[in-house]
Every structure is written in structure tokens, then in C-alpha cells.
Amino acid sequence: MSKKLTTTPKQDHFRMPGEHETQDAVWLVWPERTDTWHWGAKPAQTAFVNVAEAIAEVTPVTMIVSARQYDNARRRLSSHIRVIEMTTDDSWLRDSGPSYVVDDKGNRRAVDWQFNAWGGFLAGAFSPWDADDAVARKVANINHDDYYRAPLVLEGGSIHVDGEGTLFTTEECLLHPSRNPEMSKLEIEAHLKQHLNIDKVIWLPLGLYADEDTNGHVDNLIHVARPGEVVLSWTDDTRDPQYKISQKAYEVLSQTKDAKGRSLIIHKLQTPGPLYITENEAQGFDHIDEIDRQVGTRLAGSYANFLITNQRIIFPLLDDKQDAQAQQTLQEIFPSYQVVGVPGRDILLGGGNIHCITQQIPAIK
């Protein structure tokens, strides 16, 4: 049985490891919400199965599933993938699940952020969200990991860390009035430093263009390859609104040093498309006011929204014209890794991609 702690990870000498570090497991949540996923979530379920199977070849996978979808998921997933029944509101475990911290003695704990569905009653995607807000501590309990309840509204996709004291985020998201309007930038930084035991926050101005569902999550714009190296979503098309966003992010990244005093190596990863919702893709949703998926709406497609897990990169296939180049670029950035592409268009229609639907559990000694 896990317990809620009253200290902070910094006080207890725990740190958030980088995604490149060894993992014990990766967790996902089975999609079924029909205002997020079209056609009864069946296309999304196929995509989630493919992602889970690709991960499970190198890392144990747990799939969280509702009671009404349990049998369906169990039949569609390989027997070595664990299926656990749990109540959730939606299937973006990167955001509703725990961030994990470890110490140098072989211990692991979870950080349970406050979750308000990407904006609460001001800008949130749905209501209620209490089931998702309870997911992190339930995961911790199943793993027998003690946890910290952080006094901060935050989604896991809004941060990246290098495991050596540096955190990356966007002002667009963490300073959005729908998250922690009563806190200043310095107060938010202080909470990040306490609850992830990091020393430096690198603030990028904006997230990926058209990423309105999350208010600009950093995991759509960049990824941390390893300490001192980042992967940046990039376009050379000066007519694309993404161009100025990427240029500004590059300027910030190239002019700052990380927590260890290193200048960052910046790898440019071309964005797909631009990608837009087709007539067929706009159909089959249960419509609600908070989510608008009209024909021609630009999608926040990004190859940077990949998962690193135990020497494997799992990235979304999004654009037939650019998928091969994205894979080649990722292979050059990660020469000792297997780079595996999984169709991600049906995940993108829901508002995110492979990194957004996964949450890694770091290994302990």
C-alpha cells in the first residue's frame, strides 16, 4: 500500500529521470470516449494496440481499461500485456498519470499533479475530470510506490527533463490563466524545482502551432534526446506559422545553457504536412462545445511526439511524403536505438500522439 508524503522530492533527494534512462514499464489508457475519438473509438483502439505492441517488445506494458471495455481490450492485446480495470475520463496518461522520481539508493516515488482537463472550466476539454485526477495515485498504489500530491495544476506533456537538473516547458501552457492563475512565473518555477528536484527551467515562448487542445504542450515542440541535446520541431517554409515559432525556440535554446552549464546541441526534425482534417476524419464524433473538429482544421502534427523506451524510439507515422525522412533523422540522432514507426493519424485526431498517450515507469536498482 502506497502512502501520501508530506515532504517534497527535493527535500528527500529524489529527482525526475530522463526518458532515455532505463524503464521498468510503460502504461497507457484504452481509448473509448466518443467525443475525443471518432467512430466509437475503434480506429483509435487499433492505433493504441499497435503502439502498445511496439513498446511491449522491449518494455513491459500495462493497459488501463474501463469495465465495459475490459473484455474487448483483453482480446485485442497480446497476452504478455497486462490489462487493469480502472475508471478514467479519457486516455492521455502522459497528462493525467504520475511523473516519477527516483533516488540513488534504488527507491522510486510518484508525483501526483493536479489535473483539470487542460484548463478546467475556463479552457478544459471536458467535465468532470475527477476520475482522471485520481489516476496518478492509483497507478502509484498499484506499483506500491509512495507519492507526493503537488500543489500545482500541471500535465506531464507540458514538461521535459534531461535527468540532470534541466526542465523544458512553454510559457504558453504553464502561464496560461486556466492552469495556476494565482501563481507567478517564479512561484511555478519554485514548485517545479521542489517537486522534480531540477535546478533550471528553460522557458520556450510557444508550443507547436495549432496545439490549442493543450495550450502548447512542450512535448509536441521538442524532445530531450539525452542530457545536453534536444530535438526541435522545424520547418523551412517561411509561409508556415510554425516557422516563427521554431525560429524563436531555436533562438532561446541556442542562447541558454542547461543546469550543468552546457550549450545545447539542437537537432532539427521537420514537421509533417501541414496536416488538415479531412471530410471523413471530421465525421463520427459525438460533438461537444469544447472540441471543434471541422473539415480543414489544421492538426498539431509533430514527429517530436515520440516515446523513448529502453533503446527504442517509437514515433508516429503521419505523412507518407515525410515519414521516411523523419525516421532517418531520428536514426541519426539515436544511432544505437531501434527507430520504429507506428501509424499515428488516428491518435492525432484525438489531440495528441504517442508521447501523449504513454507514461514510462523508471527502473529502480
Side-chain angles (χ1 to χ4, degrees):
M1 181 73 178
S2 63
K3 65 178 181 292
K4 180 181 178 181
L5 302 166
T6 57
T7 53
T8 68
K10 186 175 182 65
Q11 292 172 331
D12 298 337
H13 307 291
F14 279 72
R15 66 172 179 93
M16 183 175 178
E19 202 171 304
H20 60 280
E21 298 183 50
T22 307
Q23 299 168 14
D24 271 351
V26 173
W27 287 52
L28 302 89
V29 178
W30 188 255
E32 62 175 289
R33 191 181 179 102
T34 53
D35 52 9
T36 302
W37 311 103
H38 69 168
W39 304 123
K42 296 310 174 187
Q45 288 169 8
T46 297
F48 275 54
V49 167
N50 291 335
V51 171
E53 299 289 354
I55 297 168
E57 291 179 1
V58 295
T59 306
V61 170
T62 294
M63 183 72 73
I64 294 171
V65 185
S66 72
R68 60 179 171 268
Q69 279 287 315
Y70 185 92
D71 289 340
N72 177 38
R74 180 66 282 171
R75 290 192 183 100
R76 296 186 63 182
L77 293 162
S78 296
S79 59
H80 58 275
I81 293 177
R82 182 171 65 163
V83 177
I84 289 179
E85 184 181 320
M86 187 187 298
T87 301
T88 63
D89 294 307
D90 206 351
S91 42
W92 305 100
L93 193 60
R94 177 67 54 181
D95 294 342
S96 60
S99 297
Y100 264 91
V101 291
V102 298
D103 68 5
D104 58 6
K105 300 176 182 178
N107 300 303
R108 181 179 65 203
R109 293 174 178 174
V111 179
D112 173 19
W113 308 103
Q114 297 179 31
F115 179 78
N116 72 351
W118 309 276
F121 294 114
L122 180 61
F126 52 74
S127 175
W129 52 78
D130 56 304
D132 270 2
D133 189 40
V135 166
R137 53 189 175 272
K138 289 181 180 179
V139 172
N141 190 56
I142 292 168
N143 286 330
H144 305 288
D145 297 322
D146 293 339
Y147 68 95
Y148 305 89
R149 176 66 167 175
L152 190 69
V153 175
L154 184 138
E155 306 94 39
S158 69
I159 57 172
H160 263 311
V161 300
D162 67 355
E164 295 188 359
T166 307
L167 180 143
F168 302 82
T169 191
T170 68
E171 294 176 342
E172 180 183 1
C173 183
L174 288 202
L175 302 186
H176 195 276
S178 66
R179 299 308 199 277
N180 301 283
E182 74 286 356
M183 295 184 192
S184 68
K185 186 176 183 178
L186 287 177
E187 288 172 328
I188 292 171
E189 269 202 29
H191 282 302
L192 293 171
K193 289 176 178 178
Q194 280 295 321
H195 286 87
L196 297 174
N197 198 5
I198 50 97
D199 300 308
K200 182 168 186 176
V201 179
I202 296 177
W203 293 88
L204 301 173
L206 298 172
L208 196 79
Y209 179 72
D211 189 7
E212 297 174 358
D213 288 352
T214 71
N215 306 117
H217 271 190
V218 77
D219 68 350
N220 246 350
L221 182 67
I222 71 164
H223 208 302
V224 177
R226 56 190 65 87
E229 297 186 37
V230 296
V231 182
L232 171 63
S233 294
W234 191 260
T235 179
D236 294 309
D237 184 358
T238 58
R239 300 166 298 177
D240 192 326
Q242 180 59 41
Y243 179 81
K244 289 185 178 179
I245 295 174
S246 295
Q247 290 283 333
K248 184 60 179 178
Y250 184 87
E251 179 183 329
V252 172
L253 293 168
S254 61
Q255 293 180 1
T256 190
K257 289 182 168 35
D258 67 12
K260 297 296 184 183
R262 293 173 293 224
S263 295
L264 295 168
I265 297 172
I266 306 166
H267 302 280
K268 297 175 181 178
L269 181 62
Q270 293 289 328
T271 54
L275 307 175
Y276 301 92
I277 296 179
T278 67
E279 184 173 354
N280 179 64
E281 289 171 338
Q283 298 175 6
F285 289 96
D286 288 350
H287 291 286
I288 59 173
D289 292 339
E290 290 82 354
I291 300 176
D292 182 23
R293 293 193 173 86
Q294 301 298 318
V295 176
T297 300
R298 180 157 171 175
L299 295 164
S302 170
Y303 291 120
N305 202 293
F306 58 85
L307 174 72
I308 306 174
T309 181
N310 293 337
Q311 296 300 118
R312 176 172 282 199
I313 305 298
I314 301 171
F315 80 101
L317 299 173
L318 296 169
D319 184 346
D320 290 342
K321 297 177 180 178
Q322 299 187 56
D323 289 343
Q325 181 59 54
Q327 181 159 5
Q328 180 180 331
T329 301
L330 288 169
Q331 192 67 76
E332 291 168 356
I333 299 168
F334 299 95
S336 64
Y337 286 65
Q338 293 177 306
V339 179
V340 178
V342 177
R345 182 89 181 196
D346 284 310
I347 305 174
L348 178 58
L349 288 174
N353 228 289
I354 291 173
H355 195 257
C356 304
I357 67 172
T358 54
Q359 178 56 59
Q360 72 275 4
I361 310 297
I364 51 178
K365 299 177 183 178

mmCIF file of all heavy atoms in Angstrom, residues 256-272:
data_model
loop_
_atom_site.group_PDB
_atom_site.id
_atom_site.type_symbol
_atom_site.label_atom_id
_atom_site.label_comp_id
_atom_site.label_asym_id
_atom_site.label_seq_id
_atom_site.Cartn_x
_atom_site.Cartn_y
_atom_site.Cartn_z
ATOM 1 N N THR A 256 20.940 29.709 -24.405
ATOM 2 C CA THR A 256 20.938 29.375 -22.979
ATOM 3 C C THR A 256 21.816 28.153 -22.732
ATOM 4 O O THR A 256 22.156 27.410 -23.656
ATOM 5 C CB THR A 256 19.505 29.089 -22.496
ATOM 6 O OG1 THR A 256 19.489 28.986 -21.074
ATOM 7 C CG2 THR A 256 18.977 27.779 -23.070
ATOM 8 N N LYS A 257 22.186 27.963 -21.483
ATOM 9 C CA LYS A 257 22.922 26.779 -21.073
ATOM 10 C C LYS A 257 22.043 25.950 -20.141
ATOM 11 O O LYS A 257 21.143 26.487 -19.483
ATOM 12 C CB LYS A 257 24.231 27.167 -20.388
ATOM 13 C CG LYS A 257 25.275 27.750 -21.343
ATOM 14 C CD LYS A 257 26.554 28.074 -20.612
ATOM 15 C CE LYS A 257 27.708 28.390 -21.549
ATOM 16 N NZ LYS A 257 27.384 29.091 -22.776
ATOM 17 N N ASP A 258 22.294 24.661 -20.098
ATOM 18 C CA ASP A 258 21.483 23.818 -19.226
ATOM 19 C C ASP A 258 21.997 23.886 -17.789
ATOM 20 O O ASP A 258 22.905 24.667 -17.469
ATOM 21 C CB ASP A 258 21.423 22.387 -19.760
ATOM 22 C CG ASP A 258 22.767 21.660 -19.717
ATOM 23 O OD1 ASP A 258 23.717 22.162 -19.081
ATOM 24 O OD2 ASP A 258 22.869 20.578 -20.328
ATOM 25 N N ALA A 259 21.423 23.073 -16.922
ATOM 26 C CA ALA A 259 21.773 23.131 -15.496
ATOM 27 C C ALA A 259 23.229 22.785 -15.233
ATOM 28 O O ALA A 259 23.788 23.188 -14.202
ATOM 29 C CB ALA A 259 20.860 22.193 -14.710
ATOM 30 N N LYS A 260 23.845 22.047 -16.134
ATOM 31 C CA LYS A 260 25.250 21.670 -15.983
ATOM 32 C C LYS A 260 26.191 22.643 -16.691
ATOM 33 O O LYS A 260 27.393 22.391 -16.770
ATOM 34 C CB LYS A 260 25.473 20.259 -16.520
ATOM 35 C CG LYS A 260 24.704 19.170 -15.779
ATOM 36 C CD LYS A 260 25.154 19.050 -14.328
ATOM 37 C CE LYS A 260 24.453 17.893 -13.630
ATOM 38 N NZ LYS A 260 24.821 17.808 -12.187
ATOM 39 N N GLY A 261 25.645 23.726 -17.233
ATOM 40 C CA GLY A 261 26.473 24.716 -17.895
ATOM 41 C C GLY A 261 26.817 24.402 -19.335
ATOM 42 O O GLY A 261 27.676 25.056 -19.936
ATOM 43 N N ARG A 262 26.145 23.424 -19.920
ATOM 44 C CA ARG A 262 26.413 23.037 -21.307
ATOM 45 C C ARG A 262 25.597 23.866 -22.276
ATOM 46 O O ARG A 262 24.424 24.141 -22.028
ATOM 47 C CB ARG A 262 26.057 21.557 -21.530
ATOM 48 C CG ARG A 262 26.932 20.559 -20.805
ATOM 49 C CD ARG A 262 26.390 19.143 -20.945
ATOM 50 N NE ARG A 262 25.115 18.981 -20.264
ATOM 51 C CZ ARG A 262 24.799 17.933 -19.497
ATOM 52 N NH1 ARG A 262 25.666 16.952 -19.316
ATOM 53 N NH2 ARG A 262 23.613 17.860 -18.921
ATOM 54 N N SER A 263 26.211 24.219 -23.403
ATOM 55 C CA SER A 263 25.442 24.736 -24.536
ATOM 56 C C SER A 263 24.730 23.561 -25.176
ATOM 57 O O SER A 263 25.291 22.462 -25.295
ATOM 58 C CB SER A 263 26.376 25.409 -25.551
ATOM 59 O OG SER A 263 26.974 26.558 -24.987
ATOM 60 N N LEU A 264 23.493 23.787 -25.591
ATOM 61 C CA LEU A 264 22.680 22.683 -26.098
ATOM 62 C C LEU A 264 22.984 22.371 -27.553
ATOM 63 O O LEU A 264 23.160 23.270 -28.378
ATOM 64 C CB LEU A 264 21.197 23.023 -25.956
ATOM 65 C CG LEU A 264 20.676 23.173 -24.522
ATOM 66 C CD1 LEU A 264 19.282 23.790 -24.525
ATOM 67 C CD2 LEU A 264 20.661 21.825 -23.810
ATOM 68 N N ILE A 265 23.042 21.083 -27.860
ATOM 69 C CA ILE A 265 23.051 20.620 -29.250
ATOM 70 C C ILE A 265 21.591 20.512 -29.682
ATOM 71 O O ILE A 265 20.791 19.845 -29.022
ATOM 72 C CB ILE A 265 23.760 19.265 -29.386
ATOM 73 C CG1 ILE A 265 25.234 19.396 -28.984
ATOM 74 C CG2 ILE A 265 23.632 18.729 -30.806
ATOM 75 C CD1 ILE A 265 25.961 18.067 -28.894
ATOM 76 N N ILE A 266 21.234 21.173 -30.780
ATOM 77 C CA ILE A 266 19.842 21.228 -31.223
ATOM 78 C C ILE A 266 19.702 20.474 -32.542
ATOM 79 O O ILE A 266 20.319 20.848 -33.544
ATOM 80 C CB ILE A 266 19.370 22.683 -31.397
ATOM 81 C CG1 ILE A 266 19.628 23.480 -30.110
ATOM 82 C CG2 ILE A 266 17.890 22.739 -31.772
ATOM 83 C CD1 ILE A 266 19.510 24.981 -30.284
ATOM 84 N N HIS A 267 18.908 19.418 -32.531
ATOM 85 C CA HIS A 267 18.643 18.634 -33.738
ATOM 86 C C HIS A 267 17.313 19.087 -34.326
ATOM 87 O O HIS A 267 16.292 19.099 -33.632
ATOM 88 C CB HIS A 267 18.567 17.141 -33.409
ATOM 89 C CG HIS A 267 19.799 16.590 -32.759
ATOM 90 N ND1 HIS A 267 20.927 16.256 -33.473
ATOM 91 C CD2 HIS A 267 20.068 16.311 -31.458
ATOM 92 C CE1 HIS A 267 21.846 15.786 -32.644
ATOM 93 N NE2 HIS A 267 21.351 15.806 -31.413
ATOM 94 N N LYS A 268 17.293 19.434 -35.589
ATOM 95 C CA LYS A 268 16.075 19.882 -36.246
ATOM 96 C C LYS A 268 15.343 18.699 -36.870
ATOM 97 O O LYS A 268 15.930 17.927 -37.633
ATOM 98 C CB LYS A 268 16.401 20.921 -37.321
ATOM 99 C CG LYS A 268 17.022 22.192 -36.768
ATOM 100 C CD LYS A 268 17.432 23.138 -37.887
ATOM 101 C CE LYS A 268 18.081 24.408 -37.347
ATOM 102 N NZ LYS A 268 18.537 25.309 -38.440
ATOM 103 N N LEU A 269 14.072 18.555 -36.539
ATOM 104 C CA LEU A 269 13.229 17.479 -37.049
ATOM 105 C C LEU A 269 12.057 18.108 -37.794
ATOM 106 O O LEU A 269 11.206 18.775 -37.178
ATOM 107 C CB LEU A 269 12.735 16.609 -35.891
ATOM 108 C CG LEU A 269 11.847 15.412 -36.219
ATOM 109 C CD1 LEU A 269 12.586 14.406 -37.109
ATOM 110 C CD2 LEU A 269 11.355 14.732 -34.941
ATOM 111 N N GLN A 270 12.011 17.937 -39.096
ATOM 112 C CA GLN A 270 10.974 18.572 -39.910
ATOM 113 C C GLN A 270 9.576 18.118 -39.476
ATOM 114 O O GLN A 270 9.340 16.944 -39.188
ATOM 115 C CB GLN A 270 11.185 18.230 -41.387
ATOM 116 C CG GLN A 270 12.440 18.828 -41.994
ATOM 117 C CD GLN A 270 12.358 20.333 -42.180
ATOM 118 O OE1 GLN A 270 11.283 20.876 -42.425
ATOM 119 N NE2 GLN A 270 13.500 21.001 -42.086
ATOM 120 N N THR A 271 8.648 19.066 -39.439
ATOM 121 C CA THR A 271 7.263 18.738 -39.118
ATOM 122 C C THR A 271 6.585 18.098 -40.332
ATOM 123 O O THR A 271 6.951 18.367 -41.475
ATOM 124 C CB THR A 271 6.481 20.001 -38.716
ATOM 125 O OG1 THR A 271 6.618 20.981 -39.747
ATOM 126 C CG2 THR A 271 6.985 20.564 -37.409
ATOM 127 N N PRO A 272 5.589 17.268 -40.119
ATOM 128 C CA PRO A 272 4.842 16.699 -41.240
ATOM 129 C C PRO A 272 3.883 17.717 -41.834
ATOM 130 O O PRO A 272 3.581 18.739 -41.222
ATOM 131 C CB PRO A 272 4.067 15.551 -40.585
ATOM 132 C CG PRO A 272 3.857 16.020 -39.174
ATOM 133 C CD PRO A 272 5.096 16.792 -38.814
#
